[in-house]
Structure formats: C-alpha cells, structure tokens
Amino acid sequence: MSVVIVDYGSGNLRSAHKAFVRAAEDAGDTTAIVVSADPRRVARADRIVLPGVGAFADCMGGLTSSPGMVEAFTTAVMERGVPMLGVCVGMQLFADQGLEHKVSDGLGWISGEVRPLAPADKSLKIPHMGWNTLEEVRPHPVMKGIETGPDGWHAYFVHSYAFAPNAADSIIALSDHGGPFSAIVGRDNIIGTQFHPEKSQKLGLKLIQNFLAWAP
C-alpha cells in the first residue's frame, strides 16, 4: 500500500512525512509513505493526504496551478474510492467556498463554507493557537481508541478560520474556542482535521494509524 502526501507548495511536508512514517512503524505497518508533486503518483495512491498552511485562496490557487493535480486526486477519491485526509487548510479546501479576505471557491466535496472564528469571549486571541480536547459528535473509524471529552487527549490547533458544514452529519468532532467549531469533518471516504495530527503527539499518531487502517 502507498500513501502520497500531496506537495503543492503548501503544508508542513517534512513534519507530516515524519509523523506518518512513525505512526506506520509503531503499528507494524509496512505502508510506503511518500511526498510527491507528481499527479501520476497521486492518481495511483492507495491513500492521499492533502496538507495546507496559509490562506484558503492561496492554497486553492496552489492546487489549481499544479497541472493535473486536482484531476488526479479527484479521480482517485471520487471514482476509485481512495481514502483522503485533509489537514488544516487542506481540510478547509473540501468546502464549497472560503471567506478568508475574499470569497474563494473550494473543491465542493463537503457542502459548507469556511468562516472566521468569532469567539463569544472577546479576550480570546485570534488566531487560535494551542491544545484542545475534542468532543466526538458521531462515531467514526478514525476516532477508534482516541479519548475525547473534557479529560480526553489533546490536539494542536493553529487557525483563524473554521469549516461550517451545511449538514450536521458532516461533523465528526467539535472543539471550542469561545464557542464550538468543527475539529473533524467527513463523509464517505473523505475526512479532514482542523488540527495538525503531525503535531498532536499521542492523539495525532493514533488518528494517523486509524486512517492508514481505514477501509471505507
């Protein structure tokens, strides 16, 4: 089995690669983990990871300016049913549109939009940076063995915007920063995290292992 972390000029590629390799090794998984900007390699992958750091429009622009990349992973995910994980802005790109600085079209895979965080407590800083627990909204295989709730494991967040899905059943887990926001979204063979699994220690490694074993 092969996992391709998509290189389109945005994302913590080195950190993501190291985390996936470690998670696979800890689980005794011999999966090949590669970072690639080659759409042909992405099209043949058994698992695809879409990272993302920065502004929504910039990340979407990076994807669309990479010849054949969107078509490659769209065919793999939508036609072959390949599991795909979006991370941070990579997850946000699954939305219909993002509202960061301007209205920008996303992939439209999970209906909804990416909106600014608006904590009720105005003393809370934006961007939201730090460690939060998760509230599981509905069961999902990627959450197997992960402790949630107020005393659960912590995930690392750094963001100013959050995905607001149109359908409640697109939300797998919530977190809170002066109000709830989507921490994990998904449908079918697509899943995304607002937090960074590659920086989330125990929780992140377990989620990666679950993603590698997931057979939607």
Side-chain angles (χ1 to χ4, degrees):
M1 186 172 77
S2 66
V3 175
V4 175
I5 301 169
V6 180
D7 178 3
Y8 63 103
S10 179
N12 298 314
L13 299 175
R14 185 170 179 272
S15 295
H17 182 260
K18 286 179 63 177
F20 269 78
V21 169
R22 179 182 168 187
E25 289 177 347
D26 287 354
D29 189 332
T30 58
T31 295
I33 314 290
V34 299
V35 175
S36 182
D38 183 352
R40 295 168 297 182
R41 197 160 194 176
V42 172
R44 297 192 301 266
D46 299 302
R47 299 279 189 282
I48 300 172
V49 181
L50 184 66
V53 173
F56 185 102
D58 291 343
C59 289
M60 195 66 201
L63 269 185
T64 56
S65 65
S66 179
M69 184 61 78
V70 174
E71 293 82 2
F73 66 63
T74 298
T75 298
V77 174
M78 294 300 179
E79 296 183 14
R80 291 205 292 120
V82 169
M84 186 168 191
L85 170 66
V87 174
C88 197
V89 182
M91 174 268 268
Q92 294 179 1
L93 296 181
F94 294 160
D96 294 320
Q97 60 184 18
L99 307 183
E100 189 169 358
H101 307 309
K102 61 179 181 178
V103 177
S104 305
D105 289 337
L107 295 168
W109 288 1
I110 299 176
S111 182
E113 61 186 19
V114 178
R115 303 171 182 167
L117 285 173
D121 182 351
K122 301 305 179 185
S123 69
L124 292 174
K125 294 182 178 179
I126 300 294
H128 166 221
M129 299 177 64
W131 296 85
N132 286 59
T133 57
L134 306 178
E135 176 192 346
E136 188 173 8
V137 174
R138 64 178 177 90
H140 193 283
V142 300
M143 296 295 289
K144 182 179 179 181
I146 294 175
E147 296 182 18
T148 60
D151 298 318
W153 299 351
H154 287 72
Y156 181 75
F157 292 85
V158 52
H159 63 124
S160 300
Y161 291 76
F163 193 162
N166 289 331
D169 63 2
S170 295
I171 301 172
I172 294 166
L174 297 168
S175 194
D176 191 278
H177 186 66
F181 64 85
S182 299
I184 305 178
V185 301
R187 70 171 184 84
D188 304 326
N189 54 315
I190 305 163
I191 192 151
T193 65
Q194 181 60 65
F195 57 89
H196 288 271
E198 75 277 10
K199 296 183 178 181
S200 296
Q201 299 179 0
K202 179 167 66 172
L203 186 154
L205 289 173
K206 181 61 176 173
L207 185 139
I208 292 168
Q209 289 172 350
N210 289 343
F211 174 69
L212 294 176
W214 182 33

